[in-house]
Amino acid sequence: MIEIAQITALLGLDPDRTVTIGQVPSGSVLRKPASRNMWEVIESGDDSADVDEMLRQVCGRLSPVREEIRSLRDAGCEVMVSVIQYLSAADRTGPGFSLDSATLEFISFIGAELDVDQYVIE
């Protein structure tokens, strides 16, 4: 198993958040302890945030190290792009999002899975 410090050293980037095995991730809806170490970069916004743009920003931040991320995937690490979207009547951008071809290409190149969770709040 690759340790969080090893991922940071390989990528030359500091994560926005880390979670170690057994720790309950902050903001977890299920409050379930992590079954693996996690190294994360995060973009977040309010009800006017454009999810499409936030995905482009994450890909832009990680693009310089795309080869290194791919090598982590090839070494057995799980690589995932996760979108968590809270939907309400107050949203100014409406529900959903789209992925442009550059974002799709980046996700594909690094060998990432795409996980989308959408929650309706009242």
Side-chain angles (χ1 to χ4, degrees):
M1 174 183 308
I2 297 177
E3 298 295 324
I4 291 170
Q6 292 173 293
I7 295 170
T8 301
L10 175 70
L11 299 179
L13 296 173
D14 289 324
D16 294 328
R17 179 174 87 158
T18 62
V19 179
T20 56
I21 293 174
Q23 180 182 4
V24 175
S26 63
S28 171
V29 174
L30 300 177
R31 304 295 303 156
K32 180 178 151 187
S35 60
R36 62 190 178 274
N37 291 329
M38 293 184 266
W39 186 103
E40 301 176 348
V41 294
I42 299 170
E43 289 290 336
S44 60
D46 59 17
D47 62 358
S48 66
D50 182 343
V51 176
D52 306 10
E53 180 58 31
M54 288 190 299
L55 283 166
R56 283 190 291 276
Q57 289 173 2
V58 167
C59 292
R61 286 175 62 192
L62 296 175
S63 186
V65 294
R66 61 190 278 148
E67 297 284 345
E68 291 84 351
I69 296 170
R70 181 59 189 237
S71 72
L72 287 166
R73 172 77 168 101
D74 293 344
C77 290
E78 178 182 2
V79 177
M80 181 178 296
V81 173
S82 181
V83 176
I84 301 171
Q85 187 178 29
Y86 295 92
L87 306 168
S88 77
D91 291 339
R92 291 180 242 165
T93 59
F97 60 94
S98 63
L99 302 172
D100 62 26
S101 59
T103 301
L104 286 170
E105 188 278 328
F106 177 81
I107 292 169
S108 176
F109 180 85
I110 64 173
E113 296 177 22
L114 178 62
D115 175 59
V116 178
D117 296 323
Q118 295 179 312
Y119 301 97
V120 176
I121 54 175
E122 297 178 17

